[in-house]
Amino acid sequence: MKPFWIYYQKEMLEASRTYKWIWVPAVFLLLGIMQPVSTYYLPEILTMSGEVPPEAAALFTIPSADSVMASTLSQFSTIGLLVLVLAGMNTVAGERATGTAELVLTRTVSTLPMMGAKWAAMMTLMLVSFALGLAGAAYYTHQLIGPLEWGAVASGGLLYAVWLAWIVTLVLPLGAVLRGPAAAFISLGTAAALSLLSGLLPSRFQWSPGRLSSMAAEWMLGAGAGAWAPVIAALLIMLLSIIAAAGLLRRSPLSPQS
Amino acid sequence: MEINWGLIWPILALQAILAVTGLVSLFKAEPANIRGPRWMWVLIILLGNILGSIAYFAAGRRET
Amino acid sequence: MTEKLLSIHELTKSIGSITPVKGISFDLKRGGCTALLGPNGAGKTTTLRMLAGLIPPTRGEIKHGSADKQTNDWRHRIGYLPQYPKFYSWMSGKEYLSFSAKLSGLSGQKALQRSQEVIEMVGLQQASKRRISGYSGGMKQRLGIAQALVHEPELIMLDEPVSALDPIGRREVMDLLNRLRGEVTILFSTHVLHDAEEICDDMVLMVDGEIAEKGALSELRSKYRQPVLSIEVEPGERELAWLHGLSKRSFVQEAEVGKHRAKLTVTDMGAARAALIKELADNGIELLRFEAGTSSLEDMFMKVVGP
């Protein structure tokens, strides 16, 4: 357990020294707040833009509180996910490319504690940022639009966190083989492909962790179906990713050029 | 409808925090560790809103 | 003091179709300083990476010390400095050392204390709290040596520790290594014989993945100290013919003949000198220079390493 904590501290320190602990939570909080606020002021904005006659803007009905929360999640799925993957893409790939892994790996036998700590540090950043963003969205929605069912928000948020977690975890094994940007691109591509497939063929992809984002939105709307299969699939993907990343890093701790 | 500034200012504050953090990091970094010219990133951070700061944090600095 | 700290046997590494290390064997004595000498591409770095446990050998075995060859705690008893050490540039020098020490099993407090000690040992006191991103090349190399020493290893392995440094940085590192001699067993690779002679007792000479020569430097020096005669003559046909005939003399062990000079390694300097002076006079060779001396390790090194 001890090497794990040493690495975890190092990863957390690195994330704060490279400003990740400021910009990632700030982006999530912004995304979370802006959705309810812009929904609330949409009629004003439409009127002010002058392209819509005031009568039409007045007809615009403000959506329900829980559907505002659900559309906040789709904000997190685009910019939020991009930010998490970009922030995490160099945790493994960077150590290989710059060569810092060489000195560290002469001191330890197993790369598993190191990889576990990298994962845990990424998850810490992700959970804190996402919780902040979700709380901000919920608070503003509650204030501006209407009362919320807190249980549905919490359970939907939890399910959504699993969705974010498994995609972000993919950059670990990918980074042990590829360069950072390539790892980021492929993990985002995998996520997009899986959620597209499970949207097109829902019966074939019952288990697909790609369903988690849309299921989380449904849970927030209070219409929750059972999500055990995709959650278990996501957890398995994370576990396998960490183990694979540890093995791959041990086999080639240095980027090919050195 | 009255605009409630108590609701708006946190958004502006967060954008300011993002931009200021980006600029601080940009000016503390060695020129060799910045991808591209520094003034370009200053413009991107100041004019690009959230996305400008994200772009800087994600791609602006080189790993050494 | 002849206890073996490390012994390797028939160590081989193949990567794809190339074999950078071809079955080498040698021992390291506790407390000694051994130079792994050889030209670039001889397989020195690959050998050290295998010894540091970074890459697995294809064949052969590495034995650390006499005891516990099965456990992995030998990693805590070696310090390794790669040729181009890379640190976390966002850490300070002291933070990096304490992080490294903790990874090697030291407690938090002990790690801090040892970090301070090695910082003073390598003379980085002033920079210890600064970020590594602002360090110069020489400072990084000294930090690299400090991290190799921080966990009090028995053996430190340094890959070309002075090659990338300017003369001042190089002097600093060589002096540091000189002070460490005796306290810790040192294995360092270099392509400069002079560096090896300056601080080491033993050397292993590698060429093309094989060991060309190994042993104590003093023994090797006397082994390769052989009488050498250098002769230089005026250009001329008679002179040239005579020079080319020299290699057939019974006392000549080896001859290097050029256009108007020859370098002869001889078995018996007295006999050779007498015979050749007589020949010069009898044949009326127009002599420019005739010099008796001895060959050095440098000559041997150049011959083995040269094209």
Side-chain angles (χ1 to χ4, degrees):
Chain A
M1 275 312 266
K2 203 165 170 260
F4 174 86
W5 283 112
I6 301 167
Y7 282 120
Y8 184 73
Q9 284 170 358
K10 175 250 160 191
E11 291 294 330
M12 295 297 269
L13 185 67
E14 175 165 19
S16 63
R17 291 261 168 95
T18 50
Y19 305 98
K20 278 182 196 162
W21 272 106
I22 297 178
W23 71 276
V24 178
V27 168
F28 269 82
L29 200 50
L30 261 177
L31 292 176
I33 294 177
M34 272 162 69
Q35 186 65 23
V37 169
S38 61
T39 309
Y40 180 67
Y41 285 115
L42 195 60
E44 307 276 298
I45 298 167
L46 288 176
T47 314
M48 273 194 282
S49 72
E51 282 168 29
V52 180
E55 308 83 60
L59 287 175
F60 177 82
T61 47
I62 289 176
S64 69
D66 41 10
S67 72
V68 172
M69 286 305 289
S71 50
T72 308
L73 289 188
S74 70
Q75 286 290 314
F76 291 149
S77 282
T78 49
I79 301 178
L81 193 57
L82 178 74
V83 160
L84 287 174
V85 168
L86 289 178
M89 68 184 181
N90 276 326
T91 44
V92 177
E95 297 233 13
R96 266 163 42 88
T98 57
T100 49
E102 186 177 15
L103 276 173
V104 167
L105 290 184
T106 49
R107 295 182 187 273
T108 41
V109 195
S110 169
T111 43
L112 210 52
M114 178 189 189
M115 213 42 90
K118 282 181 179 298
W119 178 78
M122 278 189 351
M123 291 299 115
T124 313
L125 181 65
M126 183 275 275
L127 284 173
V128 169
S129 305
F130 173 62
L132 269 177
L134 196 68
Y139 177 78
Y140 270 71
T141 306
H142 193 78
Q143 295 291 316
L144 291 175
I145 292 166
L148 275 171
E149 180 123 13
W150 296 106
V153 171
S155 56
L158 207 60
L159 197 60
Y160 194 82
V162 180
W163 147 260
L164 290 178
W166 80 264
I167 299 163
V168 173
T169 306
L170 288 182
V171 301
L172 294 178
L174 290 169
V177 195
L178 302 167
R179 296 222 160 231
F185 185 77
I186 293 181
S187 61
L188 288 175
T190 312
L194 266 181
S195 48
L196 193 68
L197 276 177
S198 41
L200 289 175
L201 305 160
S203 53
R204 289 261 192 114
F205 288 89
Q206 287 290 332
W207 52 268
S208 162
R211 291 175 65 210
L212 285 169
S213 66
S214 52
M215 293 182 97
E218 285 164 22
W219 280 28
M220 285 215 176
L221 294 169
W228 284 114
V231 166
I232 290 171
L235 293 178
L236 272 178
I237 288 178
M238 285 193 263
L239 189 67
L240 289 178
S241 292
I242 297 170
I243 295 172
L248 289 168
L249 185 67
R250 175 45 83 192
R251 198 178 304 167
S252 63
L254 308 163
S255 277
Q257 91 276 357
S258 54
Chain B
M1 197 187 281
E2 184 100 341
I3 287 184
N4 184 349
W5 286 104
L7 292 172
I8 304 293
W9 74 260
I11 296 180
L12 301 176
L14 279 168
Q15 292 201 340
I17 288 175
L18 263 181
V20 168
T21 316
L23 291 175
V24 166
S25 135
L26 184 63
F27 280 96
K28 274 174 101 177
E30 313 260 324
N33 294 339
I34 303 172
R35 278 207 192 96
R38 190 173 271 168
W39 58 265
M40 177 186 87
W41 286 112
V42 173
L43 288 182
I44 291 177
I45 290 172
L46 289 180
L47 303 177
N49 257 335
I50 317 179
L51 287 179
S53 302
I54 295 176
Y56 167 69
F57 280 115
R61 282 165 310 157
R62 213 170 260 136
E63 303 269 321
T64 43
Chain C
M1 282 298 278
T2 50
E3 186 197 340
K4 280 182 204 165
L5 193 62
L6 178 92
S7 53
I8 67 173
H9 185 67
E10 290 294 323
L11 194 64
T12 304
K13 181 71 189 176
S14 301
I15 302 165
S17 58
I18 53 167
T19 305
V21 178
K22 301 165 185 155
I24 60 170
S25 310
F26 63 85
D27 300 327
L28 294 183
K29 282 181 302 202
R30 182 181 291 277
C33 174
T34 306
L36 188 58
L37 193 64
N40 296 327
K44 305 187 297 284
T45 295
T46 310
T47 304
L48 288 180
R49 280 184 178 166
M50 281 191 280
L51 296 182
L54 266 178
I55 51 174
T58 310
R59 264 195 312 282
E61 67 176 341
I62 304 170
K63 265 194 212 156
H64 289 270
S66 40
D68 59 70
K69 42 192 167 226
Q70 291 308 315
T71 65
N72 270 306
D73 89 319
W74 58 266
R75 280 178 192 273
H76 294 170
R77 289 186 281 118
I78 59 166
Y80 169 63
L81 173 68
Q83 187 167 3
Y84 306 105
K86 293 285 158 46
F87 311 100
Y88 299 112
S89 55
W90 48 269
M91 277 191 188
S92 73
K94 191 165 178 180
E95 281 168 346
Y96 189 84
L97 290 173
S98 140
F99 167 71
S100 303
K102 280 189 252 172
L103 277 187
S104 286
L106 268 62
S107 70
Q109 208 179 356
K110 179 87 175 139
L112 275 179
Q113 180 204 332
R114 275 297 295 165
S115 305
Q116 192 56 41
E117 282 172 29
V118 290
I119 281 169
E120 282 163 24
M121 197 184 288
V122 301
L124 283 176
Q125 293 94 320
Q126 258 107 49
S128 70
K129 293 205 171 87
R130 294 211 320 253
R131 299 277 166 91
I132 300 172
S133 53
Y135 280 23
S136 70
M139 286 160 82
K140 281 186 184 158
Q141 203 69 10
R142 280 185 283 157
L143 180 64
I145 294 179
Q147 65 80 30
L149 290 167
V150 73
H151 51 300
E152 297 186 297
E154 295 174 319
L155 166 65
I156 57 172
M157 299 189 287
L158 316 169
D159 194 0
E160 299 271 7
V162 295
S163 306
L165 298 179
D166 61 21
I168 297 169
R170 177 191 183 82
R171 192 67 261 150
E172 285 170 352
V173 170
M174 291 303 276
D175 288 345
L176 181 60
L177 289 180
N178 242 326
R179 271 183 280 142
L180 289 171
R181 260 166 51 106
E183 284 177 42
V184 54
T185 311
I186 303 173
L187 172 66
F188 85 102
S189 75
T190 174
H191 58 265
V192 183
L193 175 69
H194 184 75
D195 292 343
E197 287 186 292
E198 187 174 336
I199 49 177
C200 281
D201 326 299
D202 296 283
M203 70 155 217
V204 174
L205 176 59
M206 273 184 85
V207 179
D208 288 334
E210 287 171 273
I211 292 182
E213 186 61 89
K214 65 181 171 186
L217 269 166
S218 54
E219 281 167 27
L220 292 175
R221 255 187 226 112
S222 55
K223 177 174 171 188
Y224 287 97
R225 189 178 322 144
Q226 282 177 310
V228 169
L229 267 175
S230 300
I231 303 163
E232 200 177 341
V233 294
E234 292 276 15
E237 272 179 39
R238 197 152 35 101
E239 282 75 13
L240 197 62
W242 180 76
L243 281 182
H244 279 285
L246 283 175
S247 56
K248 298 198 181 66
R249 304 292 187 280
S250 60
F251 48 79
V252 174
Q253 205 175 38
E254 219 180 311
E256 269 174 65
V257 181
K259 256 188 149 41
H260 41 265
R261 59 171 65 99
K263 195 169 169 186
L264 309 174
T265 309
V266 297
T267 45
D268 179 350
M269 179 58 88
R273 189 159 38 195
L276 287 179
I277 286 176
K278 186 161 184 302
E279 271 186 47
L280 284 163
D282 291 349
N283 296 334
I285 304 288
E286 291 178 6
L287 185 68
L288 278 177
R289 198 166 63 88
F290 189 90
E291 192 180 283
T294 54
S295 68
S296 66
L297 212 49
E298 186 83 32
D299 295 314
M300 184 276 288
F301 181 63
M302 292 313 291
K303 201 150 59 191
V304 178
V305 165

